[in-house]
């Protein structure tokens, strides 16, 4: 099941890439593993996903000692409270969901304490939704200007979760806006900044995201099946 799903998604990803004149190898597949147990995560890795993305600190801390992520990098992709930063910094390869300035300051402090450099993505609230956290496109631009302030943080790109779309294709304009931000920042040279990831696209819209320049899609449901919320 998981194996067939990963194979099918890879095929669809490659098709979307080629249709956009891109190389399939440019786009990574991140398994969004929330609410799936260590065994399911291992199967996804064995099936060839490039990395895993965990949403909740508690789940991350539960699955790490079970060696759930062995063989693949693990990313944090969920809401991160400042009081949990100490449990995530140094334990994940990339924090994709840095959604506010105070979190940056907190990660800097913790990374300095642990004497390491933490890779992160800035999360952009591209749809400008009041219900969502994240930087505006403009504030994300401004943030990158100031990255020299955070010697223990390495900015590797941007992540976004666009609004829930009612019709297929609705989010392409948001993906395109992210692409412009990513391209603009890539063209500049900043300290502690190296653009590698434009993380956008989920189960329902990863093909559109790839058409608009995504370099990493985060897929949960299409790999693991529907999540059952208690
Ligand atoms: C759950 C989740 C995903 C994957 O969502 P699906 O629709 O199940 O593919 C991607 N990104 C984030 C941040 C998530 O929380």
């Amino acid at each position: 099941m998981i194996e067939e799903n990963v194979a099918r998604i890879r095929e669809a990803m490659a098709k979307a890439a080629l249709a956009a004149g891109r190389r399939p190898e440019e786009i990574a597949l991140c398994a969004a593993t929330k609410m799936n147990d260590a065994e399911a995560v291992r199967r996804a890795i064995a099936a060839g996903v490039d990395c895993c993305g965990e949403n909740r600190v508690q789940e991350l801390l539960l699955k790490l000692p079970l060696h759930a992520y062995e063989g693949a990098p693990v990313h944090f992709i969920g809401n991160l409270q400042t009081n949990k930063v100490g449990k995530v910094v140094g334990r994940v390869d990339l924090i994709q969901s840095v959604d506010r300035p105070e979190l940056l300051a907190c990660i800097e402090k913790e990374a300095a304490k642990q004497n390491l450099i933490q890779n992160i993505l800035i999360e952009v609230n591209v749809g400008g939704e009041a219900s969502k956290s994240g930087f505006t496109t403009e504030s994300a631009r401004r943030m990158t200007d100031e990255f020299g302030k955070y010697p223990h943080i390495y900015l590797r790109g941007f992540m976004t979760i666009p609004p829930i779309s009612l019709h297929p294709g609705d989010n392409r304009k948001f993906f395109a806006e992210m692409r412009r931000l990513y391209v603009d920042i890539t063209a500049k040279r900043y300290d502690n900044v190296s653009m590698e990831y434009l993380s956008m696209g989920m189960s329902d819209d990863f093909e559109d995201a790839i058409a608009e320049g995504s370099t990493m899609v985060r897929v949960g449901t299409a790999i693991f099946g529907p999540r059952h919320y208690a």
Side-chain angles (χ1 to χ4, degrees):
M1 183 71 170
I2 288 176
E3 292 72 15
E4 285 98 50
N5 289 346
V6 169
R8 193 163 25 77
I9 293 160
R10 282 282 191 204
E11 234 170 82
M13 286 173 66
K15 206 171 145 199
L18 294 171
R22 306 180 59 199
R23 290 180 302 125
E25 315 85 81
E26 285 173 24
I27 304 132
L29 173 58
C30 178
T33 50
K34 60 177 174 274
M35 301 184 71
N36 286 284
D37 62 16
E39 183 52 32
V41 176
R42 279 188 217 105
R43 284 179 56 194
I45 294 170
V49 301
D50 297 296
C51 58
C52 296
E54 204 59 79
N55 273 77
R56 297 195 184 91
V57 177
Q58 211 180 339
E59 271 192 65
L60 174 75
L61 298 182
L62 192 88
K63 289 176 217 177
L64 272 174
L66 298 173
H67 306 287
Y69 314 107
E70 225 153 75
V74 59
H75 297 177
F76 192 78
I77 62 173
N79 184 267
L80 182 54
Q81 293 167 266
T82 47
N83 64 356
K84 302 254 173 73
V85 163
K87 301 209 185 312
V88 174
V89 167
R91 283 203 170 98
V92 299
D93 297 278
L94 183 69
I95 302 175
Q96 294 201 15
S97 44
V98 178
D99 58 0
R100 57 200 194 279
E102 67 163 331
L103 189 54
L104 270 176
C106 199
I107 292 169
E108 168 61 31
K109 206 167 143 194
E110 179 63 30
K113 195 169 110 190
Q114 294 185 33
N115 194 27
L116 53 82
I117 291 174
Q118 179 67 56
N119 287 310
I120 68 139
L121 306 183
I122 293 279
E123 181 174 347
V124 178
N125 180 3
V126 70
E129 294 169 281
S131 61
K132 257 183 208 148
S133 59
F135 291 82
T136 63
T137 326
E138 261 329 294
S139 62
R141 262 175 222 279
R142 258 183 278 120
M143 278 310 310
T144 52
D145 271 332
E146 303 171 9
F147 243 76
K149 282 204 313 213
Y150 306 109
H152 296 89
I153 298 180
Y154 202 20
L155 178 62
R156 311 302 302 270
F158 299 104
M159 182 271 249
T160 197
I161 308 169
I164 291 171
S165 57
L166 300 175
H167 310 287
D170 273 0
N171 281 331
R172 281 192 71 145
K173 60 177 183 295
F174 295 124
F175 292 142
E177 186 177 338
M178 289 300 300
R179 162 84 176 167
R180 285 192 290 275
L181 171 69
Y182 183 75
V183 167
D184 288 351
I185 301 302
T186 303
K188 298 187 180 180
R189 301 240 164 148
Y190 292 114
D191 290 339
N192 311 338
V193 177
S194 158
M195 292 283 120
E196 182 177 344
Y197 299 112
L198 180 55
S199 174
M200 58 186 194
M202 315 202 291
S203 292
D204 287 337
D205 57 11
F206 66 85
E207 284 133 318
D208 281 345
I210 289 170
E212 298 292 349
S214 169
T215 74
M216 177 180 284
V217 297
R218 309 174 311 270
V219 179
T221 311
I223 294 178
F224 299 108
R227 293 178 286 273
H228 299 289
Y229 293 91

